[in-house]
Amino acid sequence: MDHKKLETLLHDMTLREKIGQVFQISGQLLAEDSAAMGPMQEMGVTQEDVLLAGTVLGVFGAEKICKIQKEYMEHHPHHIPLIFMLDVINGYRTVYPIPLAQGASFLPELSGKCAQMAAREAAAAGLHVTFSPMTDLVRDARWGRVMESTGEDVYLNGQFAKAMTGGYQGEDLAGEETLGACVKHFAGYGAPDAGRDYNTVQLTERTFREYYLPAYQAAVDAGVALVMTSFNTVNDIPATVNKKLMREILRDEMGFDGVLISDFGAIGETVAHGLSSDRADAARRALEAGVDIDMMSGVYPEKLEQLIRGGKVSEDLLDEAVMRILELKNKLGLFENPFKGADPEKEKTVILCEEHRALAREAAERSFVLLKNDGAFLPLKKGEKVALIGPYVSRKQLLGGWSFLGDAEDTVTVEEAARKLAPEWEFIFAKGCPVLDPGTKLVGFGSCEENEDEDQDAMWKAACDAAREADKVVLFLGEHFLQTGEATSRGILELPQIQQKLLREITAINPDTAVVLFNGRPLDLRVVNENAKAILEAWMPGTEGGPALIRTLTGASEPSGRLPMSFPYCVGQVPVHYDEFPTGRPYHAPDENRFLSKYLDIPNQPLYPFGYGMGYTTFSVSEVDLDREEMTRGESVTAKVTVRNTGDRPGTDVIQLYLHDVAASVVRPVKQMKGYQRITLEPGEETEVAFEIREEMLRFYTADGTWDSEPGVFEVMIGESSATESKKSFLLR
Ligand code: BGC
């Protein structure tokens, strides 16, 4: 439909119809005799409002969506189609690893392919928009939603934001296999005080702009169709009604011209924040801030008519929002084909097809991070008798907290994969203990106890017997999947006590033990590190997690992931991230000086730093070599290292480039990643890895607030993780 026709359509719509477009409803409300209508009625939302709503959250399935769309359009005075939206986060039915795990792959292009696969399945199931990617920068492992982000690094997050957006949206939003993407949560949601979800966010303007905005910007630059607001305040004003943030920063500065949707109920919540005086005030503020769609707080349908008729809000603001929504419907091709990709037949064939499972398996394999491997403990050697012990051995729930469309029944477990894929090994399987300590209550989640009728003593004894009998043990431990995701902040970052006890007891029986971890956040791994010979971080690996793990443990695949977030020594260090600012009193262990920036009881360094990870072979990285010692703007410096595979297996390494501006008009981080390269080498093979350093890579928010570089000395560090210290300097003239 051309723009003129959209304008005519808008012009012909009544006020109620227009208000309908900016109102998003839950799919349940469209079902007949819906019980969910109760709470909405209390908010003043009528059945008529529901029938005029412009977008729907939470319905899926081609047949159902086509039926709703048809009936809705027949009833609608202008036959405007609905947009169906849903959180398709790490897969639709074929579930690939959680976003934090994807970050660990350092392979944004692979995440792009996964997003494309998710879009193919979800579009066949009738959906039009996904609320992904979440590109919030995260530094605090207490926050449960770190699992939905790709981690703590500005550069890496930007790469993933771009790739995922491109993967979902493809070349053409109207295509039958694409989804509109929605980058979230704008802005700064990943920095809640004390890691507590929904909590206050206080960031200096410079930190906000330099660290937190770039990944959203990357998605905007990639043409993301929607942006979602965040629940938090940003410097004392709730983001959702923050006019400066939404109009000046997001639209004018960042150039976003798509649809801005609130987070779930977030407009109404600005009353509880103590900013909006009541729901009418909240509606006015959100519309003035340029929020086009009210997700589920009902304040737009309840209050806008009265505000506009009373002259409190200009109808032009509403028209502006409605036009953006109509434009999105147009870009999605819904005026021509309101059913878009919905296809019940294709839905059956495409979902969980072998091609999709293979991609999910590859993504899982690439996300695993080998944290420790004493004496080349892994991979397991053929012929070894191995006890696979722990609550995750036969667990189907490997999908993570946001995969509510993924069905755990589709998951191939570790045990199933071991039986099928590794006939040359003799395995013994034992659960040992449940995931959670008995009696654990996760507030708001109901009962998390599983298999309460299992004989705990027998389970424990079988695990000990298995450990005794085996040459080697692999323990499969982790968080409960409901301990990560939204509203799952934690103050203690250890494995459940019962699992720690199992680890201690099993390693006392058989010290030849490796640990595989399933978790959605960095954990305090001191106990694991002390007791296990090898540690493999497997995150929440998805539908094909079992096969990916067995292939990795037996050496058919090599772990090549790198940590996208620092793993703290303990919770007392959190938030801990590699790109910190230097202090005036830097501490380098084992300096005995009292007055340095340090703790008395724990180290400054995290247990495992950002960018860290091992493979099954070893590499040497030479000193950094620069082709010149000075450069002017417009020139570049080439930094090189020689990397050699010093082990006896082929292997992959991720070589990372870090820069440090030694003295500037504001203090600069001790290092910042500016590039990385993945290389694969045969035993004994070596290669040169070169990075071109251009002046744009040296820019930052200077003391006068401009985005620029400043002349001076820069240090160049290249190595296998953020802990690398090998450096050379050059001068920017
Ligand atoms: C979450 C969003 C999500 C939305 C819709 C909210 O609670 O914060 O990330 O997209 O619900 O499900």
Side-chain angles (χ1 to χ4, degrees):
M1 193 183 278
D2 67 31
H3 206 263
K4 272 255 150 305
K5 283 197 185 147
L6 290 182
E7 278 169 11
T8 313
L9 176 59
L10 177 65
H11 186 257
D12 284 353
M13 289 163 79
T14 62
L15 183 58
R16 283 311 303 175
E17 277 177 62
K18 289 194 273 191
I19 292 172
Q21 288 302 306
V22 297
F23 171 39
Q24 174 158 83
I25 47 160
S26 145
Q28 285 170 298
L29 294 181
L30 290 169
E32 286 165 56
D33 305 325
S34 170
M37 203 46 214
M40 277 281 159
Q41 265 159 359
E42 277 163 33
M43 291 179 194
V45 175
T46 65
Q47 188 68 26
E48 186 56 19
D49 293 326
V50 169
L51 293 176
L52 285 178
T55 60
V56 185
L57 165 65
V59 191
F60 48 91
E63 260 175 45
K64 199 192 270 176
I65 284 183
C66 290
K67 180 169 180 286
I68 293 175
Q69 185 76 298
K70 186 165 168 291
E71 288 170 5
Y72 170 87
M73 287 178 68
E74 279 167 9
H75 172 273
H76 192 280
H78 284 93
H79 313 294
I80 299 175
L82 284 161
I83 305 181
F84 290 86
M85 306 189 180
L86 191 72
D87 295 88
V88 178
I89 306 296
N90 48 309
Y92 181 75
R93 271 292 288 280
T94 310
V95 178
Y96 46 96
I98 55 169
L100 190 62
Q102 293 175 52
S105 73
F106 275 55
L107 279 169
E109 56 281 17
L110 183 57
S111 283
K113 282 193 204 162
C114 288
Q116 193 180 9
M117 160 179 96
R120 191 178 302 134
E121 292 191 3
L127 290 164
H128 307 143
V129 163
T130 174
F131 295 135
S132 175
M134 178 181 121
T135 60
D136 301 321
L137 188 91
V138 293
R139 293 170 163 183
D140 194 327
R142 291 171 296 183
W143 193 49
R145 301 197 79 167
V146 302
M147 71 152 239
E148 295 176 58
S149 159
T150 49
E152 75 183 42
D153 184 61
V154 182
Y155 177 77
L156 197 64
N157 274 5
Q159 302 266 311
F160 277 96
K162 180 177 167 200
M164 289 181 186
T165 303
Y168 291 125
Q169 297 197 161
E171 295 292 305
D172 179 12
L173 271 190
E176 287 191 357
E177 297 199 335
T178 58
L179 295 179
C182 174
V183 67
K184 66 189 188 185
H185 306 83
F186 196 77
Y189 185 41
D193 273 3
R196 202 179 74 223
D197 207 358
Y198 317 124
N199 203 9
T200 306
V201 171
Q202 300 278 6
L203 294 165
T204 66
E205 173 106 14
R206 180 170 292 106
T207 305
F208 183 59
R209 287 178 176 278
E210 191 166 333
Y211 289 88
Y212 287 82
L213 290 188
Y216 308 114
Q217 180 74 64
V220 170
D221 293 345
V224 77
L226 296 95
V227 171
M228 186 185 293
T229 71
S230 57
F231 289 125
N232 53 284
T233 58
V234 180
N235 298 342
D236 310 334
I237 302 189
T240 301
V241 294
N242 192 328
K243 201 164 158 186
K244 174 168 187 235
L245 181 64
M246 298 307 172
R247 292 216 181 251
E248 286 177 33
I249 298 182
L250 177 64
R251 297 224 184 258
D252 298 347
E253 289 182 31
M254 295 172 69
F256 176 65
D257 63 0
V259 167
L260 180 60
I261 184 168
S262 79
D263 201 347
F264 199 106
I267 303 179
E269 288 173 18
T270 60
V271 177
H273 270 293
L275 196 284
S276 303
S277 52
D278 55 25
R279 285 169 61 79
D281 193 35
R284 177 184 64 78
R285 286 175 187 274
L287 198 67
E288 283 178 359
V291 179
D292 302 316
I293 300 179
D294 170 5
M295 187 202 291
M296 301 301 297
S297 68
V299 299
Y300 277 3
E302 186 191 334
K303 299 295 181 192
L304 283 184
E305 182 170 4
Q306 175 193 331
L307 286 168
I308 291 171
R309 293 207 192 282
K312 300 259 169 49
V313 172
S314 153
E315 192 166 350
D316 291 350
L317 284 179
L318 177 64
D319 287 355
E320 189 193 310
V322 174
M323 182 46 99
R324 285 198 206 100
I325 296 162
L326 294 179
E327 275 167 354
L328 177 59
K329 292 186 174 185
N330 198 30
K331 280 188 205 149
L332 289 165
L334 296 175
F335 289 109
E336 284 74 30
N337 176 10
F339 307 107
K340 204 170 176 271
D343 180 342
E345 283 315 307
K346 183 169 174 190
E347 194 181 0
K348 282 185 209 131
T349 53
V350 83
I351 283 174
L352 290 164
C353 64
E354 193 37 53
E355 184 196 340
H356 287 190
R357 279 189 177 271
L359 184 60
R361 194 155 59 238
E362 186 190 349
E365 286 175 14
R366 296 285 72 85
S367 75
F368 298 153
V369 186
L370 186 62
L371 297 174
K372 179 176 178 182
N373 197 21
D374 284 358
F377 187 88
L378 292 176
L380 302 169
K381 318 284 172 299
K382 278 195 182 136
E384 283 175 344
K385 185 170 185 181
V386 186
L388 305 183
I389 299 175
Y392 270 94
V393 171
S394 323
R395 200 168 166 79
K396 290 257 178 199
Q397 183 38 268
L398 308 180
L399 310 178
W402 250 122
S403 296
F404 56 88
L405 282 177
D407 184 345
E409 284 312 307
D410 301 326
T411 304
V412 185
T413 66
V414 170
E415 177 173 350
E416 286 161 355
R419 290 187 192 280
K420 191 164 167 211
L421 300 178
E424 294 99 332
W425 282 266
E426 190 184 335
F427 290 116
I428 320 168
F429 305 95
K431 181 170 173 184
C433 69
V435 175
L436 292 172
D437 297 327
T440 302
K441 182 162 169 37
L442 304 179
V443 178
F445 287 95
S447 169
C448 301
E449 306 264 0
E450 288 164 40
N451 304 323
E452 281 157 341
D453 50 349
E454 278 172 325
D455 180 339
Q456 308 286 318
D457 293 340
M459 215 157 69
W460 193 274
K461 185 175 172 301
C464 295
D465 290 347
R468 223 167 269 121
E469 226 186 286
D471 300 320
K472 278 182 175 174
V473 177
V474 183
L475 273 173
F476 294 81
L477 309 175
E479 291 183 292
H480 192 283
F481 80 103
L482 292 178
Q483 288 181 300
T484 63
E486 187 171 347
T488 61
S489 297
R490 293 184 65 194
I492 296 170
L493 299 180
E494 294 171 16
L495 288 172
Q497 292 298 322
I498 193 161
Q499 294 191 46
Q500 294 192 40
K501 190 170 163 223
L502 183 72
L503 167 69
R504 288 203 182 90
E505 192 149 332
I506 295 296
T507 51
I509 295 171
N510 189 339
D512 281 331
T513 294
V515 169
V516 176
L517 290 163
F518 298 80
N519 45 305
R521 55 154 63 81
L523 293 174
D524 170 348
L525 294 179
R526 282 174 296 163
V527 172
V528 182
N529 190 44
E530 276 156 28
N531 290 284
K533 294 226 161 123
I535 306 174
L536 183 69
E537 175 55 71
W539 316 103
M540 289 288 169
T543 313
E544 287 288 313
L549 274 165
I550 289 301
R551 281 174 43 77
T552 304
L553 293 170
T554 56
S557 168
E558 185 208 20
S560 60
R562 301 293 182 258
L563 290 182
M565 240 185 126
S566 308
F567 272 43
Y569 178 84
C570 68
V571 76
Q573 286 184 331
V574 171
V576 59
H577 53 101
Y578 82 92
D579 49 353
E580 61 181 4
F581 294 113
T583 68
R585 297 185 174 193
Y587 170 70
H588 301 286
D591 196 327
E592 292 288 318
N593 185 345
R594 176 176 163 194
F595 296 102
L596 295 177
S597 181
K598 62 171 179 5
Y599 300 96
L600 288 178
D601 49 0
I602 58 170
N604 284 3
Q605 276 68 39
L607 190 60
Y608 298 111
F610 172 86
Y612 171 77
M614 307 167 75
Y616 287 152
T617 183
T618 47
F619 293 91
S620 65
V621 180
S622 71
E623 298 266 289
V624 179
D625 180 40
L626 302 183
D627 68 340
R628 54 204 299 180
E629 288 175 358
E630 292 186 8
M631 76 178 213
T632 56
R633 282 167 175 262
E635 293 178 338
S636 65
V637 167
T638 301
K640 279 189 288 202
V641 287
T642 302
V643 183
R644 185 180 170 81
N645 180 345
T646 51
D648 54 11
R649 294 173 56 104
T652 298
D653 204 356
V654 180
I655 302 298
Q656 302 152 41
L657 167 75
Y658 295 89
L659 298 181
H660 173 218
D661 189 340
V662 176
S665 59
V666 291
V667 282
R668 304 298 303 140
V670 291
K671 55 179 67 137
Q672 282 187 300
M673 190 170 78
K674 295 288 175 178
Y676 55 86
Q677 287 179 39
R678 167 179 294 268
I679 49 156
T680 300
L681 297 174
E682 292 297 316
E685 194 188 355
E686 65 177 38
T687 190
E688 206 174 74
V689 179
F691 295 93
E692 191 193 4
I693 302 167
R694 299 175 311 280
E695 180 271 327
E696 313 88 86
M697 294 158 74
L698 312 177
R699 294 183 194 169
F700 63 99
Y701 282 100
T702 62
D704 64 15
T706 53
W707 179 248
D708 206 355
S709 61
E710 291 175 353
V713 176
F714 289 82
E715 288 172 344
V716 182
M717 290 151 270
I718 302 179
E720 295 182 275
S721 81
S722 63
T724 181
E725 293 197 337
S726 152
K727 63 176 114 172
K728 284 274 160 53
S729 308
F730 70 88
L731 181 74
L732 174 70
R733 286 211 166 273

